[in-house]
Amino acid sequence: MARDDRRFEVKICGIRTAEALDAALDAGADLVGFVHFPKSPRHLALADAPALVARVAGRAGKVALLVDPDDALLRDVIAAVSPDILQLHGHETPERVADIKARFGLPVMKALPVARREDLAVLPAYAAVADRILFDAKPDPGALLPGGNGRPFDWALVAGLDVNRPLMLSGGLTADNVPQALGLVRMDGVDVSSGVEDAPGVKSPDKIRAFVAAARRAASTSSLQDPLSKARAS
């Protein structure tokens, strides 16, 4: 599908409570993310997942975020969350991404950490097997979390990219800076977690509503055009 035909999507990730989930759904989020990674303050225990995800009731796509999961964990998470998309946020290789897709029959979003242009060398290999790509800020060496650290990266590094897959932007986004980000780069969606929190893992309904509204306005006013795409069209 050509990028101009794709629908811009807003994802609220790291949801653990009914209040946060209802705020995301009421605000019109397209995707809601549930993290199963015990080191994360946004970790959702599998025992708590079914009652929470049942509230989605088809109003948004459900995304299950995992970090280097083995097949047994994938089976357990799929049974508890019934996700529409699996988000892989670890060191999964392109071969592992392809294997997970084939084995479990679900679309896969692969997160790629970005700090320098060299980090994008792997993009073609992942784009060949993943259904969508998420660009996130690269964590510091030894960091406990692969994402959700509230840090932006140099968005210009991902400007002008088109790999015939939906591309999403993450990493330190807030209602205040998402207009700047979408004014600089052309993306098919944005993903936020820490940027809509009052404390790590504690979502703010007000910040969720503000972020979704700001992202929608920014996507509309920018017409999803980054400077490089405008230059190519002129």
Side-chain angles (χ1 to χ4, degrees), residues 62-66 69 73-75 77-78 81-89 97 100-101 104-111 130-132:
K62 299 185 301 256
V63 182
L65 186 156
L66 301 112
L73 179 57
L74 281 161
R75 283 192 292 270
V77 169
I78 290 170
V81 178
S82 298
D84 300 292
I85 300 171
L86 296 171
Q87 180 174 332
L88 302 177
H89 219 103
V97 172
I100 289 172
K101 274 190 62 175
F104 295 96
L106 287 170
V108 172
M109 178 191 310
K110 181 67 180 85
D131 296 279
R132 61 179 73 197

Side-chain angles (χ1 to χ4, degrees), residues 4-117:
D4 291 339
D5 297 328
R6 299 175 194 156
R7 179 169 180 262
F8 182 83
E9 294 184 312
V10 179
K11 176 173 174 275
I12 306 297
C13 196
I15 292 174
R16 297 190 305 134
T17 67
E19 181 186 32
L21 178 57
D22 291 347
L25 295 172
D26 292 342
D30 303 284
L31 300 169
V32 287
F34 304 96
V35 175
H36 188 74
F37 183 56
K39 294 180 181 180
S40 172
R42 302 162 190 100
H43 173 68
L44 178 64
L46 294 187
D48 298 328
L52 183 62
V53 301
R55 300 177 72 91
V56 178
R59 297 173 62 192
K62 299 185 301 256
V63 182
L65 186 156
L66 301 112
V67 179
D68 299 311
D70 59 20
D71 286 355
L73 179 57
L74 281 161
R75 283 192 292 270
D76 290 344
V77 169
I78 290 170
V81 178
S82 298
D84 300 292
I85 300 171
L86 296 171
Q87 180 174 332
L88 302 177
H89 219 103
H91 297 92
E92 302 89 0
T93 64
E95 293 75 17
R96 177 59 174 156
V97 172
D99 178 66
I100 289 172
K101 274 190 62 175
R103 192 177 299 266
F104 295 96
L106 287 170
V108 172
M109 178 191 310
K110 181 67 180 85
L112 297 185
V114 180
R116 303 178 302 164
R117 189 164 298 277

Side-chain angles (χ1 to χ4, degrees), residues 147-228:
N149 292 298
R151 295 174 46 190
F153 63 96
D154 182 0
W155 300 315
L157 292 172
V158 296
L161 297 175
D162 192 348
V163 291
N164 198 33
R165 288 288 187 273
L167 302 176
M168 299 191 75
L169 186 67
S170 186
L173 294 177
T174 66
D176 293 330
N177 67 18
V178 72
Q180 178 187 357
L182 292 177
L184 179 65
V185 299
R186 191 183 190 196
M187 288 282 133
D188 301 294
V190 289
D191 182 356
V192 67
S193 187
S194 61
V196 292
E197 292 179 344
D198 290 330
V202 181
K203 292 287 188 286
S204 162
D206 288 342
K207 289 179 180 179
I208 289 172
R209 288 187 285 266
F211 182 86
V212 174
R216 295 270 187 240
R217 286 194 301 268
S220 176
T221 57
S222 69
S223 299
L224 303 184
Q225 292 289 317
D226 67 34
L228 293 183

